[in-house]
Amino acid sequence: MSLLTSEWVPYGTENYFRKLEMYSDMYWCNEIDISTSVVIAAPCGGPVIVIRDRTKLVSVKTVGKPIISVYTSSGKIISSFVWSSGHLINLGWSNNEEILCCQDDGLVLIYDLFGNYQHTFSMIKDRQGVKLLDARITSNFTRTIVAVLTETCNIYVMNDITKVKVHILPDIPDMNSLPNLWEIVLLERQTNVLISTNHSLYSVSHAECKQQFIGFNDTDYNNDTSLTNSIKKICISADHKYIALLNNDNIIWIGSSDLRKVYRIYRKSFSSSIDQMAWCGTEGVALYFKSEETVMIIGKIEDQVSFIYTDPICLVSEIDCVRVIGAFSNDMLQLVPHYVQEIFRINSTSPSSYLVEASKQFERRNHRANEYIHLVNQMLETAVDHCIKAAGHEIDTSTQKLLMKAAQFGKTFLQNWNPEQYINLCRLLRVLNAVRDPKIGISITYPQLQKISVQALLDKLVGQRHYYLALQASSYIRMSSNLGSSRILTHWAKFKVKQTQVDREQLAITIADKLGKYSGVSYHSIAEIAANSGRIQLAIKLLDYETQVNLQIPLLLKYQQDTIALKKAVESGNTDLVYMVLLHMQTSMPLGKFQMEIKKSSVAQALYIKYCHQQSGYSLLDMYTQEDNHEELALYHITESIKSKNTKEMSVSINEAINCYKRTRDEFSLTTCESQIKLIRYQSSLEEKLKNDFRNLTLNDTLLKLIEINELKLADKLRSEFKVPERRYWWARLTILAKQEDWNELEKLSKVKKSPIGYEPFVDVCIEHGNKYEALKYLPKVRDDLKQNYSTKVTSMP
């Protein structure tokens, strides 16, 4: 235990700070000089940007343009590229570990870890010609915020770079010169910018600009006191809940980020200047004195501790520690977690400490193990739980094993104990140890992992192209396929398709072999990346493996693979997709070629014909004309004649149908059409003569109407001219007379000559209209075999 606590420094009465050596032998030790470089580290043990500090004079052996180098936390080079765009004023990291490069013209260029350009957005679209003097880039775990300061002392803020919406903050009163310092502060519901001028401190939000009062010298911290000395450093904690201000008298004010609560004012004088400030988690502020080669941590409430660093370093604030990045090492300074303290603190009598000792004695086959177990018998479950939690806070694998073995030893004495927490942490520790390896270089801690989630850690691995490790990690911690393996392999495939030196056929097969057994793989998104990289044929090949046709078809159409898209749409059985392809082909192809293509598929042609019947008759006419399909052309013209609103258009359409039937030699249809033309002409003459409307009436309806208006001569003429059967004519006369209740004419009709339809209909119409008297007149003329039945009907009438 003495080795474990050798780097512990007492803090206050009961706590300790410790130094954890993440990497003792940095890859970059012979490549960079921290003292002449700007070091910008991504949160949660992420990669590090290193660029030469252009404010310091150094001998340059390369080109004069800035070189942006990206390293892992262990100093291993990821990429390096020459900045060849505009004047660079600041760099930063997005929450997705993308590099944001802000220029003085307001453009923010985004690159991935490997220096590949992604996209650009502007911070001052409405102010062309305005130059930027400075920029701030910060992020939490969900969004990235960018703020810029213009030469006119205006501040523009973008609350989320994914939404690209810029707000201009209110003007600051009496700000005639540039501010000394300014920083972004993320409060619970809004984004503030804290600005320090010569003698004032302002908090500016979207809604207001408010002057703040900080009491550096007043013993009553809660009284508002004017700022009597300008602030020369502002330091905000990683979670943006706490802030530290350093004034020109080297007095440090520590409080809440909204400046409403004061925790401590540190007035002790410093023998040298403070070069860097960074929050150590939320426990205190780390100060770096380069001349004294010391890092001092001033507690938020009390006391301070110091650590010696002989080489130049850079402090990076994290949610649970402060990272100390140097040319030769990468350390963490943090408050020793409570669970770790109670186990390894000298003379500790906590149950978890006894359990660890019992486990060690058991490993040595010593009977004292039983004595230690009896000491924690009543608190054994708590001891096991604390050992598991303490293991999560350790980065040394031997210490992790010691604690997990103690937990394993203790749980054997417990009944009905849920092992889920133990199993999950075993898996997570193995993953954390793998990603912390210097070859990977992600120096993330367990509390940081809990904050960002395992999925975000896998995204970090994918972003650095450690696909195999990410795949193994997702499998080991039992992540679902859509969040783990499928998503990782999709990213891998997107990376592979950009490699233009690989043959497309072989690459498509390789990708399909890798991804084939995983469900949820998005081939269409991979194909889009391939197409955007100029590899259209590879994209088409990859789309063959996409199982969702509704995602496959639009991309095939986009890549001008209309024939393949039509085939797949027909095979899917989804008529909506078929119509989508047909309408696209109709607008993008010459008419002749389009008709030839759809003719190859009977289903597609049938659906197109159905569509044309409902929407576009002219397209249907063109298709039938192109194919010399006279039978369908005739049907088309007949359909158009039915839709016609006047006699002339109807006649023209039917004449066109007649011409088509002449070519097909369909005598029946030809005769029918000729009879219809004849009827239309006859109806036209009737309209002129009788001033009545006969349009769109059938032959039978025309006959009924003539009888109804008592034009019997014209009805007889129509009957003879169109050879209407006598039975139909009698039925028409009988129906109309009964409807008009003209019983005398009905009786005359029955006596003209023998009825061709019999006399039973006469009785029926009389019964239907409730005229028993008239029905009795025709009853004697009813056929003998039906007379009894009809007699019963008539006599039963009221």
Side-chain angles (χ1 to χ4, degrees), residues 583-599:
L583 294 177
H584 176 83
M585 292 172 67
Q586 186 182 26
T587 56
S588 61
M589 284 185 179
L591 178 62
K593 184 178 179 181
F594 168 67
Q595 291 174 350
M596 290 297 293
E597 289 296 330
I598 66 170
K599 193 175 181 181

Side-chain angles (χ1 to χ4, degrees), residues 361-372:
Q361 295 300 331
F362 179 76
E363 288 285 324
R364 297 169 188 163
R365 298 292 191 266
N366 193 319
H367 69 279
R368 295 185 65 188
N370 189 50
E371 296 175 10
Y372 282 111

Side-chain angles (χ1 to χ4, degrees), residues 638-674:
I638 290 172
T639 304
E640 289 299 308
S641 71
I642 296 171
K643 297 177 184 177
S644 300
K645 296 182 179 180
N646 58 65
T647 304
K648 185 176 180 181
E649 291 178 359
M650 190 181 298
S651 298
V652 170
S653 296
I654 295 175
N655 279 323
E656 290 291 338
I658 289 171
N659 293 331
C660 293
Y661 283 128
K662 285 179 179 177
R663 292 186 180 94
T664 60
R665 299 180 181 180
D666 186 345
E667 296 297 332
F668 174 78
S669 299
L670 179 62
T671 303
T672 304
C673 289
E674 289 174 344

Side-chain angles (χ1 to χ4, degrees), residues 500-739:
T500 55
Q501 70 274 15
V502 184
D503 177 68
R504 69 168 183 268
E505 293 287 339
Q506 186 58 44
L507 184 55
I509 294 170
T510 302
I511 291 173
D513 288 343
K514 285 279 187 184
L515 275 60
K517 61 181 179 180
Y518 295 96
S519 60
V521 173
S522 177
Y523 279 98
H524 80 283
S525 62
I526 302 169
E528 279 190 297
I529 297 295
N532 293 337
S533 302
R535 309 191 71 183
I536 300 297
Q537 294 304 315
L538 175 60
I540 296 167
K541 192 73 179 174
L542 288 168
L543 283 174
D544 287 339
Y545 301 102
E546 177 58 64
T547 56
Q548 299 184 57
V549 184
N550 59 319
L551 299 176
Q552 191 180 30
I553 299 300
L555 288 181
L556 287 171
L557 295 177
K558 182 180 178 180
Y559 306 145
Q560 300 178 354
Q561 301 299 311
D562 300 345
T563 305
I564 299 173
L566 181 60
K567 180 182 178 182
K568 290 187 178 294
V570 171
E571 289 174 352
S572 72
N574 189 329
T575 55
D576 291 339
L577 291 177
V578 178
Y579 281 129
M580 178 199 295
V581 178
L582 289 174
L583 294 177
H584 176 83
M585 292 172 67
Q586 186 182 26
T587 56
S588 61
M589 284 185 179
L591 178 62
K593 184 178 179 181
F594 168 67
Q595 291 174 350
M596 290 297 293
E597 289 296 330
I598 66 170
K599 193 175 181 181
K600 296 175 183 177
S601 171
S602 58
V603 174
Q605 189 175 34
L607 288 172
Y608 179 71
I609 290 170
K610 182 180 178 181
Y611 168 80
C612 290
H613 275 301
Q614 296 173 351
Q615 303 291 335
S616 178
Y618 290 110
S619 298
L620 197 63
L621 180 63
D622 289 339
M623 186 177 69
Y624 290 148
T625 303
Q626 186 80 13
E627 296 177 354
D628 288 335
N629 191 337
H630 300 295
E631 186 175 349
E632 292 296 336
L633 272 173
L635 289 174
Y636 169 79
H637 289 304
I638 290 172
T639 304
E640 289 299 308
S641 71
I642 296 171
K643 297 177 184 177
S644 300
K645 296 182 179 180
N646 58 65
T647 304
K648 185 176 180 181
E649 291 178 359
M650 190 181 298
S651 298
V652 170
S653 296
I654 295 175
N655 279 323
E656 290 291 338
I658 289 171
N659 293 331
C660 293
Y661 283 128
K662 285 179 179 177
R663 292 186 180 94
T664 60
R665 299 180 181 180
D666 186 345
E667 296 297 332
F668 174 78
S669 299
L670 179 62
T671 303
T672 304
C673 289
E674 289 174 344
S675 298
Q676 182 64 27
I677 286 289
K678 184 178 178 182
L679 177 62
I680 290 171
R681 291 172 183 165
Y682 192 84
Q683 288 171 338
S684 298
S685 65
L686 290 176
E687 287 179 359
E688 292 178 5
K689 185 182 295 184
L690 303 176
K691 307 302 180 185
N692 212 322
D693 188 12
F694 287 88
R695 284 180 302 173
N696 296 325
L697 295 181
T698 63
L699 176 61
N700 191 62
D701 290 340
T702 306
L703 184 64
L704 288 172
K705 188 165 186 175
L706 288 172
I707 295 171
E708 189 174 3
I709 62 178
N710 204 27
E711 293 289 343
L712 298 181
K713 289 184 178 179
L714 291 174
D716 283 337
K717 183 179 179 182
L718 178 67
R719 182 191 66 174
S720 61
E721 192 163 335
F722 286 90
K723 299 179 182 179
V724 178
E726 190 176 14
R727 287 174 58 83
R728 186 189 297 179
Y729 180 72
W730 271 69
W731 268 110
R733 289 286 306 275
L734 177 68
T735 303
I736 295 301
L737 291 173
K739 181 180 178 182

Side-chain angles (χ1 to χ4, degrees), residues 95 138-145 159-160 186-187 190-191:
N95 60 310
T138 188
S139 64
N140 54 20
F141 301 109
T142 57
R143 61 191 174 98
T144 303
I145 303 93
N159 287 318
D160 189 343
L186 301 181
L187 299 181
Q190 64 183 6
T191 300

